[in-house]
Amino acid sequence: MSLRNALLAMLTSQPMTGYDVYKNFQTSVGYVWHAPDSQIYPELRRMEQDGLIRGETVPWGKRGTKKRYSITEAGVESFEAWLNAPPEYQRERDPVRLRAAYLEWANPTASADFFRAHIAYHSARVEDWEDMIRTLLDHSNPTLAKRIEGKAREEVARITAYKVFAYEGMIARAQAEIEWAEKGLELVERLGGQG
Ligand code: VNL
């Protein structure tokens, strides 16, 4: 359901071919909702069958054609209904916390590597998201650039601010992960494990 909403979000910026949806996705909403092309193309076909998007055949190259999707009225309604509905939560299923809970069984060197990998992973994500915030604020992100085309300055500021806010939330969470893993390194140092 969330992938569907992420794809609807893409098509609220402009009509696009399946390939352009995929490309825009990877450099925008895909940072907050990761999905591979193997999920995106079939979902677009299902969304067309469900009337949320409409595919029209447009000329391409010398003789070719391609299908360009636009969001339908029903698609906009479904997107707005989701945005106005109460949030849904999935109960915890966190492999990192699961593993952390049993480190008394692990080799302390492997445990230290585990926490260092956790720090490296989240540090890289913080950098990616900080870069994304920069390209949102200077409007150089291509999906955002299309979305704000012809819009008034205040509307552009509003559209941008919510997107930046989403990334700020992810950065805050990643920083908490980094601090937690740093404490984990100290804990392993202090308590050790097996072997
Ligand atoms: C958009 C552009 C969304 C860049 C993004 O993430 C992003 C957009 C939610 O205009 O839909 O990073």
Side-chain angles (χ1 to χ4, degrees):
M1 219 41 197
S2 292
L3 175 60
R4 188 165 271 221
N5 289 312
L7 292 169
L8 286 174
M10 285 296 85
L11 288 160
T12 59
S13 74
Q14 61 174 322
M16 291 180 233
T17 64
Y19 178 64
D20 286 337
V21 170
Y22 167 70
K23 258 192 343 191
N24 275 271
F25 193 95
Q26 301 307 336
T27 55
S28 65
V29 74
Y31 279 66
V32 305
W33 192 267
H34 175 78
D37 57 348
S38 63
Q39 284 177 12
I40 292 175
Y41 293 115
E43 186 62 20
L44 285 172
R45 282 193 291 273
R46 282 191 289 269
M47 288 162 71
E48 186 181 11
Q49 279 161 19
D50 294 346
L52 299 175
I53 62 178
R54 183 182 308 118
E56 86 185 294
T57 304
V58 294
W60 190 64
K62 281 221 163 66
R63 292 210 160 69
T65 57
K66 59 183 178 177
K67 200 182 213 179
R68 189 174 57 194
Y69 291 112
S70 17
I71 190 165
T72 62
E73 197 56 42
V76 171
E77 271 172 31
S78 160
F79 188 57
E80 288 176 346
W82 167 66
L83 280 161
N84 291 318
E88 285 165 32
Y89 288 93
Q90 315 266 309
R91 296 300 300 269
E92 284 62 33
R93 265 192 175 216
D94 189 330
V96 169
R97 247 58 67 177
L98 177 60
R99 184 167 164 176
Y102 297 98
L103 289 182
E104 77 272 21
W105 292 77
N107 175 324
T109 310
S111 298
D113 288 347
F114 162 64
F115 284 123
R116 278 192 215 99
H118 198 67
I119 292 168
Y121 176 79
H122 286 286
S123 304
R125 297 289 77 71
V126 168
E127 286 197 11
D128 289 348
W129 296 328
E130 282 175 346
D131 283 345
M132 178 59 84
I133 288 180
R134 277 189 280 280
T135 69
L136 286 166
L137 291 174
D138 70 11
H139 304 164
S140 65
N141 178 271
T143 311
L144 180 79
K146 272 290 167 198
R147 183 183 298 290
I148 64 180
E149 239 172 49
K151 295 229 156 68
R153 187 140 53 89
E154 270 143 61
E155 184 61 5
V156 169
R158 201 163 76 105
I159 291 170
T160 308
Y162 281 127
K163 285 159 196 60
V164 169
F165 182 64
Y167 286 99
E168 285 170 349
M170 301 215 297
I171 289 171
R173 206 178 51 187
Q175 281 164 343
E177 290 293 338
I178 292 168
E179 282 166 31
W180 174 79
E182 279 164 353
K183 286 191 201 141
L185 281 172
E186 288 167 20
L187 197 64
V188 168
E189 178 82 15
R190 194 144 51 79
L191 303 181
Q194 195 93 275

